[in-house]
Amino acid sequence: MAVAIRVIPCLDVDAGRVVKGVKFEDLRDAGDPVELAHRYDRAGADELTFLDVTASSSQRETTFDVVGRTAEEVFIPLTVGGGVRSTADVDRLLRYGADKASINTAAVAEPALIDDITRHFGSQVLVLSLDARRTRDAQTPSGFEVTTHGGRTGTGIDAVAWAREAADRGVGEILLNSIDADGTKDGFDLELIRAVRAAVGVPLIASGGAGAPEHFPPAVAAGADAVLAASIFHFGPPDAIAQVKKAIRDAGYPVR
């Protein structure tokens, strides 16, 4: 039996407030994270992802108090990322109520961190957040480059090769963010999803570009096991989660 597709609202948090931008820039306020988490839980979200979008670029820790207050309000799995740099950070997040930790910048700088975290806590706890953008660099054969620090820093690392390495090191799933599509509301980057899906067997969460319910089924068709979005849920109709699930179900895929 096919695994049910998960629908995941994303709470990008900066200074204790949910924000949303376009291509990771020009952030605007979208509300209180605890209130939004509670709303999405009641609306039928399958999970929540909480990303402190300026923690790495500002060289500071994730806002643990907001994580704790959010975890108290929701009864669905909560993934937290941004500023996670060590097994101690993951341990602290789990103690504050997170179910999974997401890493990007620190793992790129020190890939062995993936091994350390999964050895301590198991693969199911760790999500690789892979922020990819298109590039014409000949050193990047897939045409997609890994970026760090909230999409601000290019690395020259091939995104598909990095996804494969992270999966080999034991990461539990991959949150695949398209920098080019982020906030555009033009649809997911299907080419990126297909390329990474062909390289890895771990669950893949598609992110970046969703602006309407009809954008979600193509991401599933391209290989996503879960779909993540922000704008359509923060600024769209109150029943946006239900509309997205209906669109996926109507396309022939099981949803929760």
Side-chain angles (χ1 to χ4, degrees):
M1 183 176 175
V3 175
I5 303 301
R6 292 168 286 151
V7 176
I8 308 173
C10 184
L11 306 178
D12 291 329
V13 178
D14 181 20
R17 297 287 293 179
V18 176
V19 295
K20 187 68 193 102
V22 177
K23 300 183 180 180
F24 286 35
E25 297 179 346
D26 301 324
L27 303 179
R28 63 170 169 149
D29 189 271
D32 177 76
V34 180
E35 291 177 6
L36 285 174
H38 187 57
R39 187 174 95 196
Y40 294 146
D41 188 9
R42 287 182 301 172
D46 298 308
E47 297 184 13
L48 285 174
T49 292
F50 176 115
L51 299 177
D52 191 325
V53 293
T54 55
S56 289
S57 60
S58 303
Q59 265 117 41
R60 60 171 175 77
E61 295 181 326
T62 291
T63 325
F64 287 97
D65 66 311
V66 180
V67 173
R69 288 190 291 117
T70 302
E72 289 176 358
E73 286 294 323
V74 302
F75 302 98
I76 52 178
L78 175 64
T79 299
V80 181
V84 177
R85 302 182 183 91
S86 65
T87 55
D89 288 341
V90 175
D91 182 64
R92 190 174 177 194
L93 282 175
L94 297 176
R95 290 176 186 276
Y96 268 78
D99 298 279
K100 294 181 268 189
S102 171
I103 57 170
N104 174 9
T105 301
V108 172
E110 187 183 351
L113 180 59
I114 295 173
D115 308 61
D116 293 342
I117 293 172
T118 55
R119 187 166 56 247
H120 276 85
F121 304 103
S123 293
Q124 78 284 350
V125 160
L126 190 61
V127 178
L128 177 75
S129 184
L130 198 169
D131 296 340
R133 69 182 178 196
R134 291 174 181 269
T135 178
R136 294 180 179 174
D137 187 342
Q139 301 301 311
T140 313
S142 74
F144 295 99
E145 174 191 23
V146 174
T147 68
T148 60
H149 299 86
R152 294 169 179 80
T153 306
T155 64
I157 298 170
D158 186 276
V160 174
W162 173 229
R164 187 183 295 115
E165 179 181 346
D168 289 345
R169 286 181 178 273
V171 75
E173 55 187 344
I174 295 174
L175 170 55
L176 184 60
N177 309 302
S178 168
I179 300 291
D180 303 292
D182 177 72
T184 62
K185 304 181 187 178
D186 293 331
F188 292 92
D189 189 327
L190 303 180
E191 184 183 351
L192 174 61
I193 297 168
R194 290 190 195 101
V196 175
R197 173 79 290 160
V200 303
V202 298
L204 196 58
I205 306 166
S207 170
E214 58 266 26
H215 289 154
F216 290 83
V220 178
D225 301 280
V227 283
L228 178 145
S231 298
I232 187 174
F233 300 135
H234 299 341
F235 308 118
D239 65 340
I241 291 174
Q243 288 188 28
V244 167
K245 288 194 171 189
K246 182 178 185 302
I248 296 171
R249 190 181 297 111
D250 288 350
Y253 303 103
V255 293
R256 294 188 180 180

